[in-house]
Amino acid sequence: MSILRLRGREFGQGEYAVMAVVNRTPDSFFDKGRTYGFGAALEAVDQAVEGGADIVDIGGVKAGPGETVDAHEEIRRVADLVSAVRERHPELIISVDTWRAEVGEVVAKAGADLLNDTWGGVDRALAEVAARHGVGLVCAHAGRVEPRTRPHRIAYADVVADVVSYTVDLAERAVAAGVARESILIDPAHDFGKNTFHSLEVSRRLDEMVATGWPVLVAVSNKDFVGEALGGLPVEERHAGTIATLAVSALQGARVFRVHDAASARTALAEVTRLTRAGD
């Protein structure tokens, strides 16, 4: 299994990195805009670091359908925050959730260490940006759909096989573009271009992604498939399901965990470590 290296830090096999979500969006599905304000976003970063986050993932565009946010507005929301966080937390790994090369260029200059391309390579120039600035890249599987869309009745012959082949291809393309191999992650992107059955199948067979040797990121925190699998729970009641899914993912070898509650995730992953190393 490969080493993951970001901002000079290394995460080897069995070492888990917590990635905390901080969204500068007025319409986030989870916090409904609570961290949209600049001061509130900075405070959320501070809390995440205190809770044990290794990485903070800053986003400026809601993942689902909603208000149109162009590149200029996305940059307005995230670039200054990246700069402020870099000054405030010099050792923190900063990620930015964007699919746009134009945005990636600005935030990399502002101090970002990782570009989280949740929409799966729709802008191929983003890998070139990561290579040029020496930052990491997340290669995700979003079912080849347009950003911020929800396809109707999407189908796969084998969703896990599709996820593995697509993300590995993106990762190899990124290496060819000049991104450091040890700074690339692959992400199944639960619920992106997938229904609940697909997301559950990916979770059950996550070890097949891990077996590729690429570090695997999972972003399952409070997502719809968690709520639907537990009988239709609303967002505010999905925490227990989230933690259970994180533990299963960790046991299968996932390396990075994107979450809304960094402290709970850190505690859960510490227990997974204790349980799996009890006989060492």
Side-chain angles (χ1 to χ4, degrees), residues 201-239:
E201 186 71 1
V202 167
S203 292
R204 295 186 188 104
R205 296 167 55 191
L206 196 71
D207 58 337
E208 294 178 39
M209 289 193 75
V210 173
T212 67
W214 294 99
V216 174
L217 179 153
V218 290
V220 300
S221 187
N222 300 298
K223 283 194 170 178
D224 287 347
F225 86 95
V226 174
E228 290 180 10
L230 295 174
L233 294 180
V235 173
E236 62 273 13
E237 296 178 22
R238 298 173 184 172
H239 180 68

Side-chain angles (χ1 to χ4, degrees), residues 122-243:
V122 293
D123 187 344
R124 293 296 177 93
L126 189 63
E128 297 171 8
V129 171
R132 186 160 54 249
H133 291 279
V135 302
L137 183 68
V138 177
C139 298
H141 176 282
R144 303 167 186 81
V145 303
E146 289 297 314
R148 308 189 67 197
T149 63
R150 291 176 177 163
H152 181 60
R153 294 184 178 177
I154 193 164
Y156 302 93
D158 182 333
V159 65
V160 178
D162 199 87
V163 166
V164 169
S165 64
Y166 189 81
T167 56
V168 168
D169 181 65
L170 280 181
E172 294 292 356
R173 286 173 181 265
V175 172
V179 183
R181 180 175 289 271
E182 64 271 19
S183 298
I184 297 172
L185 301 99
I186 58 175
D187 174 11
H190 293 76
D191 282 1
F192 282 65
K194 301 171 188 68
N195 59 29
T196 291
F197 171 83
H198 296 140
S199 292
L200 289 172
E201 186 71 1
V202 167
S203 292
R204 295 186 188 104
R205 296 167 55 191
L206 196 71
D207 58 337
E208 294 178 39
M209 289 193 75
V210 173
T212 67
W214 294 99
V216 174
L217 179 153
V218 290
V220 300
S221 187
N222 300 298
K223 283 194 170 178
D224 287 347
F225 86 95
V226 174
E228 290 180 10
L230 295 174
L233 294 180
V235 173
E236 62 273 13
E237 296 178 22
R238 298 173 184 172
H239 180 68
T242 294
I243 294 299

Side-chain angles (χ1 to χ4, degrees), residues 14-33:
E15 295 180 307
Y16 306 128
V18 172
M19 172 189 274
V21 180
V22 176
N23 286 324
R24 282 213 69 196
T25 57
D27 50 359
S28 168
F29 91 97
F30 179 70
D31 64 24
K32 312 301 182 186

